[in-house]
Amino acid sequence: MRDGEDVGHYGGSYKVTKGLATKYGDLRVLDTPIAENSFTGMGIGAAMTGLRPIVEGMNMGFLLLAYNQISNNCGMLHYTSGGQFKIPIVIRGPGGVGRQLGAEHSQRLESYFQSIPGLQMRQPVVLFEHVLLYNLKERIPDEEYVLCLEEAEMVRPGEHVTILTYSRMRYHVMQAAKTLVNKGYDPEVIDIRSLKPFDLYTIGNSIKKTHRVLIVEECMRTGGIGASLRAAIIDNFWDYLDAPVMCLSSQDVPTPYAGTLEEWTVVQPAQIVTAVEQICK
Amino acid sequence: MAMLSRLASRSSHLGRTLLLPRSLCCSTGGRHFASSAGDEGPTFTVETSVPFVGHRCEPPSREVETTAKELMGFFRDMSLMRRMEIAADALYKAKLIRGFCHLYDGQEAVAVGMEAAITRKDAIITAYRDHCIFLSRGGNLVETFAELMGRRAGCSNGKGGSMHFYKKEGGFFGGHGIVGAQVPLGCGLAFAQKYLREETVTFAMYGDGAANQGQLFEALNISALWDLPAILICENNHYGMGTAEWRAAKSPAYYKRGDYVPGLKVDGMDAFAVKQACKFAKEHALKNGPIILEMDTYRYHGHSMSDPGSTYRTRDEISNVRQERDPIERVRKLILLHDLASVAELKDIEKEIRKEVDNAIAEAKESPLPDPSELFTDIFVKGCGTEVYGVERKENKILI
């Protein structure tokens, strides 16, 4: 059961749900009015009875309007009801800096949701997708496969430095990796995927091997995902570090409209290359 | 018999329709609210205090069918609720209940009237003034008091508190602290009922204060669009915390606020009016989608235990309502009028209830507080079996 604005007949504003309405019908793919607070609340109410809704925000920024429902009800109901109600809901939505969409449509809200107690990568689940990644084409295996959402993905094994990243920044990192390899470095790139909990097993094994960490994120520097990841690494793997943990994040500014300015708010591959060179000195 | 004449002058209709039973079986047994068939006692018709007022719908009749058992049940259940809330007041002042405590005394008729019209398969969701609804949905006194005092035997294991009572098997979905947030949840419950073709309805309750929340109208719009079996109950006790309704709402006719959604104005201090309205609403919602019921009710206590309740309203007003419209007194008069019990017998029931409540409090006090370490590591006595963690799974993982 999916509900959100224009997910049905329109196929979703990024065509994610294209074809679903025709296949599953109007009761399972629901076009809602522009009322994020209430349709998120309704999704949670339906989940309380055991249905498994997927709520799609047209843009992650719009889900700020539903923040009360997500934080107070979605995250906490299982706990405050003493375990009586499970909330098997998935809330997903595109976010991140796109192509000059302006400040309010370029939000990176992962960290706002990260600190909600009770919200995690099991139920309920909040999925952050990046607007620009929808256009990437990749081969998907034909058979059904199940990905474990909690595990980090080893994108490129290496020996010199561990680069931890997620979402769109992964692609910037891989671009930087090409340059780095040409310069003689061997970075290990891990897409952490799960923002809560962190897959400290995979991350830890990597740090034990390379002893150097660089975090590359699109989130804001202040209170971003990188901040809590850094804390986790220092708490757990201090003894294995040969250099300070570096973190490259977006600038703490609303995203400007002008193309060049927008580019400078997020981390670019050149900056990643410089950072790796600095760490490995 | 001064009582009879007073009642007779209020409404001559009663004289025509009542049947005076000679003997009766006065069922005082059981603290359960579910009524069972058989041994109901004589049936008779009661007239509601005032007629219903409809908005975009034909209001139901003022004549309500009832039985001796139901009438006695109303008296017992409402007295139990009243006694429980007053006991909670004392416990709060003794600092055994902390934090927020919102009491329902005065509004009992809404809880019992609604329950009389529906089944446990129908869902109810309300805000933080939830102790009595919890009882009417099958909760018991011990788990109520234990939860209020934060003990393990509480219905939410002591982790919810006054504002977070839930009873899944009784169709009671809480218990919510944020004003108005429960209404979209309620519409979601109604969606699930329609999706699963259950032929049941959801009662989403809120107050006159919450009636101005935007998410309410959002949810109502969606419910009307999709024909969901959602019944919105506005418990209008005329004060949103300290703000009177005329200061908060341009249009305090809450039953009309649904605009295209039909509504009904009900005397919320009359349990039979509530029962009739809820029955009507259930039939309507299953066929035609959402409907709003405005229950004109009153709370004797302030908004919560931190509010004396007298800075924004006069003591005269409170005592007037107590004298003229108290729901328990109304039912008591009906019982005496129909000769179902004597004054002494009713007093006995009240004494018995008092003892029941006192016993429950004593039992709840025996239940231990959750151990502090349990917040971070341990499995609870009857664990929920699920894990909650922060970003570092090893460091802060809680099994609740």
Side-chain angles (χ1 to χ4, degrees):
Chain A
M1 185 210 128
R2 315 181 54 106
D3 64 335
E5 294 145 8
D6 274 331
V7 294
H9 296 216
Y10 193 82
S13 57
Y14 291 97
K15 299 283 181 248
V16 174
T17 47
K18 184 172 166 189
L20 283 183
T22 344
K23 186 170 174 193
Y24 292 107
D26 277 341
L27 192 57
R28 285 188 76 184
V29 182
L30 301 148
D31 282 328
T32 62
I34 306 175
E36 291 80 5
N37 198 357
S38 55
F39 71 65
T40 309
M42 285 176 71
I44 297 168
M48 279 170 95
T49 66
L51 290 185
R52 307 180 84 94
I54 303 175
V55 175
E56 173 172 320
M58 193 182 264
N59 187 295
M60 254 309 161
F62 304 166
L63 283 183
L64 279 178
L65 287 154
Y67 198 77
N68 170 56
Q69 293 288 355
I70 297 174
S71 165
N72 284 327
N73 289 331
C74 191
M76 299 189 191
L77 267 173
H78 185 75
Y79 190 86
T80 57
S81 69
Q84 288 181 66
F85 297 108
K86 290 199 178 5
I87 320 284
I89 190 175
V90 175
I91 300 174
R92 47 169 296 273
V97 173
R99 294 256 181 268
Q100 293 182 261
L101 299 175
E104 286 170 12
H105 288 71
S106 318
Q107 307 256 32
R108 282 133 289 168
L109 302 180
E110 303 85 81
S111 56
Y112 297 13
F113 293 98
Q114 189 190 41
S115 47
I116 299 175
L119 210 60
Q120 58 215 20
M121 288 310 286
R122 240 183 264 170
Q123 314 162 342
V125 172
V126 184
L127 276 178
F128 296 95
E129 299 158 16
H130 198 288
V131 273
L132 289 182
L133 297 183
Y134 286 138
N135 286 329
L136 286 177
K137 290 195 201 303
E138 265 190 29
R139 265 201 39 200
I140 299 185
D142 277 329
E143 68 276 6
E144 255 184 43
Y145 64 101
V146 181
L147 271 181
C148 178
L149 281 179
E150 271 179 42
E151 276 171 19
E153 186 190 335
M154 176 68 68
V155 184
R156 182 193 187 281
E159 295 288 324
H160 288 168
V161 58
T162 301
I163 306 184
L164 301 172
T165 184
Y166 65 95
S167 190
R168 178 187 168 203
M169 286 298 115
R170 162 187 170 149
Y171 294 92
H172 281 209
V173 167
M174 289 312 289
Q175 273 182 283
K178 274 201 217 116
T179 318
L180 285 168
V181 166
N182 286 342
K183 290 195 177 187
Y185 293 96
D186 187 19
E188 174 152 295
V189 181
I190 295 179
D191 182 340
I192 61 175
R193 281 223 292 250
S194 167
L195 302 180
K196 182 174 176 184
F198 291 135
D199 180 2
L200 287 180
Y201 181 72
T202 309
I203 294 175
N205 281 341
S206 174
I207 296 177
K208 288 177 189 171
K209 186 169 55 163
T210 66
H211 309 295
R212 292 180 160 76
V213 186
L214 171 65
I215 302 172
V216 181
E217 56 164 357
E218 193 174 330
C219 218
M220 312 300 205
R221 185 156 194 81
T222 304
I225 301 285
S228 41
L229 184 53
R230 233 183 186 167
I233 291 174
I234 291 175
D235 277 346
N236 288 290
F237 307 117
W238 175 258
D239 289 329
Y240 298 98
L241 291 170
D242 280 346
V245 178
M246 267 193 83
C247 183
L248 292 177
S249 350
S250 295
Q251 302 305 309
D252 284 318
V253 293
T255 315
Y257 168 68
T260 41
L261 286 181
E262 185 185 62
E263 260 184 38
W264 293 338
T265 59
V266 294
V267 180
Q268 298 296 338
Q271 293 166 292
I272 302 174
V273 173
T274 319
V276 169
E277 287 176 333
Q278 198 176 355
I279 292 186
C280 289
K281 250 208 290 269
Chain B
M1 284 290 119
M3 229 167 324
L4 254 180
S5 59
R6 215 176 31 216
L7 272 172
S9 63
R10 184 180 299 172
S11 155
S12 54
H13 220 65
L14 259 175
R16 265 188 279 134
T17 53
L18 75 85
L19 302 159
L20 284 169
R22 290 298 127 204
S23 67
L24 69 91
C25 32
C26 175
S27 67
T28 57
R31 62 187 70 144
H32 304 289
F33 285 62
S35 64
S36 47
D39 217 18
E40 293 279 325
T43 317
F44 42 89
T45 314
V46 161
E47 194 190 42
T48 67
S49 57
V50 292
F52 297 101
V53 183
H55 166 74
R56 287 187 187 269
C57 69
E58 205 42 55
S61 146
R62 282 175 80 175
E63 315 285 324
V64 187
E65 285 262 312
T66 185
T67 65
K69 179 172 177 185
E70 184 174 70
L71 188 48
M72 292 305 297
F74 278 7
F75 178 81
R76 188 166 211 288
D77 296 343
M78 289 200 280
S79 301
L80 186 65
M81 291 174 175
R82 179 69 59 93
R83 191 67 229 141
M84 172 181 79
E85 295 294 71
I86 293 178
D89 175 299
L91 285 175
Y92 192 88
K93 290 178 173 144
K95 294 206 197 295
L96 281 164
I97 300 178
R98 316 302 298 268
F100 292 130
C101 189
H102 306 85
L103 299 176
Y104 200 71
D105 52 319
Q107 300 183 211
E108 299 91 350
V110 178
V112 298
M114 185 164 43
E115 197 60 41
I118 61 179
T119 70
R120 288 281 163 79
K121 292 213 157 51
D122 297 305
I124 299 183
I125 190 169
T126 186
Y128 41 76
R129 211 175 292 279
D130 55 351
H131 309 161
C132 299
I133 310 269
F134 173 72
L135 268 195
S136 71
R137 290 258 96 185
N140 68 55
L141 287 173
V142 176
E143 55 184 2
T144 307
F145 286 116
E147 185 61 36
L148 287 173
M149 296 194 275
R151 310 292 175 101
R152 277 188 221 173
C155 52
S156 296
N157 299 338
K159 296 169 110 166
S162 161
M163 299 189 285
H164 300 287
F165 281 23
Y166 305 86
K167 193 117 196 125
K168 187 171 183 187
E169 58 273 18
F172 180 49
F173 290 81
H176 297 273
I178 305 294
V179 169
Q182 74 276 12
V183 177
L185 286 184
C187 294
L189 295 172
F191 176 86
Q193 286 170 329
K194 177 162 179 168
Y195 189 90
L196 297 168
R197 291 173 229 255
E198 286 176 356
E199 293 298 300
T200 51
V201 295
T202 299
F203 289 82
M205 304 174 73
Y206 59 100
D208 46 297
N212 300 315
Q213 274 269 313
Q215 53 189 322
L216 211 132
F217 297 95
E218 292 179 22
L220 201 55
N221 178 40
I222 299 182
S223 306
L225 261 179
W226 295 346
D227 277 319
L228 302 182
I231 299 166
L232 268 61
I233 307 264
C234 178
E235 289 185 279
N236 182 9
N237 56 25
H238 308 284
Y239 296 93
M241 203 157 91
T243 307
E245 61 181 329
W246 56 270
R247 289 179 60 217
K250 185 72 178 170
S251 161
Y254 299 107
Y255 69 107
K256 285 194 194 163
R257 296 263 219 112
D259 184 21
Y260 41 82
V261 169
L264 202 63
K265 184 160 169 150
V266 185
D267 178 2
M269 307 295 260
D270 178 354
F272 290 103
V274 173
K275 173 186 161 187
Q276 183 83 317
C278 291
K279 200 154 135 272
F280 171 77
K282 178 168 175 175
E283 277 161 26
H284 181 280
L286 284 173
K287 277 203 312 276
N288 305 325
I291 181 170
I292 300 181
L293 298 182
E294 180 187 335
M295 304 285 177
D296 183 351
T297 180
Y298 201 82
R299 53 167 162 81
Y300 297 141
H301 267 86
H303 165 73
S304 71
M305 285 305 297
S306 339
D307 171 25
S310 49
T311 55
Y312 47 86
R313 49 184 193 173
T314 61
R315 291 193 197 278
D316 278 342
E317 180 188 294
I318 306 174
S319 44
N320 269 346
V321 176
R322 241 193 235 275
Q323 263 168 10
E324 313 265 308
R325 298 177 66 204
D326 185 87
I328 302 180
E329 289 315 302
R330 184 192 304 278
V331 167
R332 191 198 302 268
K333 282 174 193 151
L334 274 173
I335 291 177
L336 294 172
L337 177 70
H338 291 243
D339 232 349
L340 298 183
S342 69
V343 174
E345 278 166 339
L346 291 179
K347 279 260 175 315
D348 279 340
I349 296 178
E350 287 177 315
K351 263 196 240 149
E352 199 190 301
I353 285 173
R354 221 191 158 105
K355 215 165 35 162
E356 204 179 310
V357 167
D358 288 340
N359 286 344
I361 293 178
E363 193 180 328
K365 279 184 182 165
E366 310 247 310
S367 174
L369 283 166
D371 191 288
S373 67
E374 284 174 11
L375 179 61
F376 292 110
T377 48
D378 276 328
I379 302 170
F380 238 28
V381 175
K382 32 174 186 149
C384 316
T386 198
E387 289 180 339
V388 178
Y389 24 62
V391 289
E392 295 169 54
R393 198 209 214 108
K394 189 177 59 160
E395 197 50 46
N396 46 350
K397 171 173 82 173
I398 308 166
L399 193 60
I400 56 172

